[in-house]
Amino acid sequence: LVALIERKQGTMAEGIRLRRDEGPDAARTLVSSGQGKVIMDQIRAVTGELQAADKAALERRIAANDALTKRTERLTQTLFVVLVVFLLAAFLLLSRQIRARQQLFVVAQATAGRLDAILDNAQDAIVTLNPSGTIETVNKAAEEMFGLPREGLLRKALAQFVDLPDRGELFIRQLSGSDDLSKGVLREMTGRRADGTTFPIEASIGLVRLPEG
C-alpha cells in the first residue's frame, strides 16, 4: 500500500510538472492515459484486502472472547454446583453432629439424674472437694449431718466443718497425710454442725480423676 501511494503521488507530481512546464495539454494527456486510475484501483484493492484481514482478525478475536466467556460461564456454574454440594454436605454433617450432641446431652442428663438419685438416697454423707478443699457437691445425708442446706455448704472450705491438722501444707496433703489417696484411705475426724456441736466422723477418702485433673 505504501508503494502504491508513493507511485500515485509521483504520478500527481508528474502531472503538476507537465502543466507547469509544457502546458495543460501535456498534463491532460497524462491523465487521459489512465495510469493514475490503475494505481487508484490497485490502492482500493489493497485497502479492501487490509479491511478484510482486519475484519477477519476482529471476528477471530470476538470468537475467542466468546469461547472464553462460555468456558468461564461453565467453570463458574461448575464451581457454584461444587459449592452448593459442599454447603449441603457441611449442613448435613453439622446437623448430624448437632443430633449426636443432643443425644449425648440427653444421655448425660439421664446419667447425671441417676447419679443424683443414687447420691441423694445414700445413707452415708457424700462430699466432693476440689484440690484446694472447697466443697463442690453434697448429698442429702451430708446436709443432715452438718445441719445446713446445700446452699450453705457449697463453695465453702471443708475446714469450716471438719477439724483438719493445719501444718501449712496443701489441703490435699493435709487430707492424705502420708497415705496414697489414689488407693483410698480411712480417716477418723471430728465434724462440726451449724449449731456448734461436734461429732465423730469415719471418712473414706479417695481421688476422682477428671479430664482437667
Side-chain angles (χ1 to χ4, degrees):
L1 180 60
V2 172
L4 289 172
I5 290 173
E6 289 177 351
R7 285 179 58 191
K8 177 61 179 176
Q9 289 176 337
T11 302
M12 294 171 64
E14 179 64 15
I16 293 171
R17 186 191 67 75
L18 288 173
R19 181 179 178 82
R20 183 181 63 245
D21 297 342
E22 301 181 16
D25 290 339
R28 198 174 293 113
T29 299
L30 176 63
V31 172
S32 63
S33 67
Q35 183 179 354
K37 182 178 181 305
V38 172
I39 296 173
M40 281 303 302
D41 289 342
Q42 292 175 343
I43 289 175
R44 292 189 187 96
V46 173
T47 302
E49 292 175 359
L50 291 176
Q51 290 176 343
D54 288 343
K55 181 179 179 182
L58 180 61
E59 289 175 350
R60 287 194 298 272
R61 181 171 297 178
I62 291 174
N65 289 336
D66 289 343
L68 178 61
T69 299
K70 290 179 180 179
R71 287 197 299 271
T72 303
E73 289 176 351
R74 288 196 296 269
L75 178 60
T76 302
Q77 293 171 353
T78 302
L79 290 176
F80 179 75
V81 172
V82 172
L83 178 61
V84 169
V85 171
F86 273 117
L87 289 176
L88 181 59
F91 175 75
L92 293 176
L93 181 60
L94 181 61
S95 299
R96 184 177 300 175
Q97 289 179 342
I98 291 175
R99 287 196 299 270
R101 288 185 178 182
Q102 289 175 340
Q103 291 173 354
L104 288 175
F105 181 70
V106 171
V107 171
Q109 280 187 319
T111 302
R114 285 193 291 268
L115 289 176
D116 288 341
I118 292 171
L119 293 176
D120 280 339
N121 286 282
Q123 298 299 312
D124 291 329
I126 300 176
V127 180
T128 61
L129 311 166
N130 61 30
S132 65
T134 301
I135 297 174
E136 293 285 340
T137 65
V138 295
N139 65 350
K140 290 182 179 179
E143 296 180 58
E144 295 173 359
M145 184 175 71
F146 290 113
L148 284 172
R150 188 163 306 187
E151 293 75 15
L153 294 169
L154 297 181
R155 301 302 174 187
K156 301 292 178 55
L158 181 66
Q160 297 181 31
F161 310 102
V162 176
D163 290 336
L164 293 172
D166 186 1
R167 297 185 293 270
E169 299 173 316
L170 293 176
F171 168 77
I172 197 167
R173 184 65 178 169
Q174 298 174 23
L175 200 61
S176 63
S178 58
D179 296 319
D180 184 3
L181 288 183
S182 63
K183 298 178 180 179
V185 297
L186 289 174
R187 285 279 183 275
E188 291 184 356
M189 303 176 179
T190 299
R192 290 190 302 276
R193 298 187 180 89
D195 59 6
T197 59
T198 61
F199 57 95
I201 295 175
E202 184 181 60
S204 175
I205 307 170
L207 292 181
V208 178
R209 297 292 181 182
L210 301 178
E212 62 271 16

